[in-house]
Amino acid sequence: MVDIDLLVSALRAKGHNVHGVHHVPDNAGDYELTIDDRAYNLEEARSLLELDEEKQPG
């Protein structure tokens, strides 16, 4: 499984609705994801997942 697949799986496991993942050819290796009806680039999607991790009681 590639990195983007792992990220999408993790976001979905946290309850996010990931509608689509689009490779953005102008930015080699970059993606745009539609999460909870909002567009995120790869960095923003990772940050969203990190915020979810911080919210969990540990």
Side-chain angles (χ1 to χ4, degrees):
M1 196 180 290
V2 291
D3 185 51
I4 192 69
D5 295 330
L6 291 172
L7 179 63
V8 169
S9 293
L11 286 163
R12 286 181 175 153
K14 297 290 182 183
H16 294 284
N17 189 359
V18 181
H19 297 285
V21 177
H22 309 281
H23 186 258
V24 182
D26 292 340
N27 300 319
D30 206 3
Y31 292 87
E32 183 176 276
L33 297 86
T34 305
I35 305 167
D36 302 328
D37 297 320
R38 181 173 175 255
Y40 291 83
N41 66 27
L42 190 56
E43 184 178 325
E44 292 168 331
R46 287 183 175 146
S47 294
L48 178 63
L49 189 57
E50 289 173 6
L51 287 173
D52 286 345
E53 293 294 325
E54 290 173 6
K55 290 179 187 176
Q56 283 188 338

